[in-house]
Amino acid sequence: MERFLALHDGLPRQAPGSDPATQDAVRRLRPHGLPDDPAVLDIGCGPGRSLMMLGRVTGGRVTGIDLHEPFLAEAQARIDEAGLGRRMSVRKHSMLELDGFADGGFDLLWAEGSIYIAGFDEGLRRWRRLLKPGGLVGLTELTWLAKDRPGEAKAFWDAAYPAMRTEAENRTAAEAAGYTVLDSFALPAEAWWDEYYGPLSERVAAYRQRHAGDPDWTAVLDAAAAEIDLYRRFGDSYGYVFYLLKRVD
Ligand SMILES: C[S@@+](CC[C@H](N)C(=O)[O-])C[C@H]1O[C@@H](n2cnc3c(N)ncnc32)[C@H](O)[C@@H]1O
C-alpha cells in the first residue's frame, strides 16, 4: 500500500475524471434546484481536482474530506494558490464516520471515484442525512457498460471489484437508497487518459527505471500497467458513469 500511494502521490487525479465532465455534471444538476451559493461536500476529494472545479463553477462554500494527508496538502495548496480560502477548505475526515457533520448541512454532495470505499448502496444511505431536503448528489462509479463482457475484463474486475454493476442496476440501487435519478452519463475515454492513466503511465515508466530489480516495486508497477492495458483493450465494456441524484423526501 505504501508503494501504491507513493506511485500515485502528485498525480492530478486519483481516478478517471476530467474538468469538462465535472462542469457538465454541475450544468445538468443546475435546473434541479442547485442554489446560487450552495454548501458542497466533496467526499474522498483526493488532491482536489474536482474540488477546485466545484469551487469555481458553483461559487459556493466547498469542503473536501479525505484521509490521506499528502492529498489534503495538495488540495489545500490548490485552494491557496487560487485565493479561495475564504469559502473552500479541506479536512481530514473519514467518509465512513461522518458524525462531525450535522444533518441537512449540504445542498450538494460530490464523490468522484470514491463511493466504492463506503460501497455504493451503503454510502448513499449513510450520506443522505447530510443533504437538505431535495439536496443533490454527483458521483462517479465504475460500471459495466456492455452486455457482453470480454472474459479477460470480467476476470480482472470480478477479482478487483466484484461489486461492479450495470448502469441500470446502479440507478435502481440509488432509488432504493432514497434518491431520484436525474441523469447519468459515461465519462468519455479522454477522461481516463488525459488526467489519470496518461500521467500514471509516465509515472510507471519512470519508476521502472528508478526501482529496477526491486521485486516489491515491480509487482506494484506491473499491476498498474496491467490495469491500464486492460482499459486500452476492453474500455468499451466498462467505464466510469456519473450518477446525478436528488434526495427524495
Ligand atoms: C480513487 S481516489 C479518488 C480521489 C478524487 N476524488 C479524485 O477523483 O481524484 C479515492 C480517495 O478516497 C480517499 N479515501 C480512502 N478511504 C477514505 C475514507 N474512509 N474516508 C475519506 N476518504 C477516503 C483516498 O485517500 C482517495 O483520495
Side-chain angles (χ1 to χ4, degrees), residues 96-139:
L96 305 176
E97 211 37 81
L98 288 161
D99 295 354
F101 293 96
D103 289 0
F106 294 97
D107 300 290
L108 176 62
L109 301 181
W110 209 257
E112 292 199 26
S114 57
I115 196 169
Y116 77 93
I117 293 157
F120 187 90
D121 302 10
E122 186 65 14
L124 282 177
R125 264 196 286 274
R126 283 188 183 206
W127 301 349
R128 189 174 174 281
R129 70 162 188 85
L130 302 174
L131 283 170
K132 294 176 185 165
L136 301 167
V137 181
L139 64 88

Side-chain angles (χ1 to χ4, degrees), residues 15 36 43 70 123 128 136 153 209 212-213 231:
D36 286 340
I43 300 171
R128 189 174 174 281
L136 301 167
Q209 291 195 336
Y231 184 74

Side-chain angles (χ1 to χ4, degrees), residues 13-14 44-46 66-68 71 93-96 112-113 117:
R13 283 183 182 274
Q14 296 300 328
C45 65
D66 204 283
L67 281 184
H68 188 52
F71 291 162
H93 208 297
S94 175
M95 69 173 82
L96 305 176
E112 292 199 26
I117 293 157

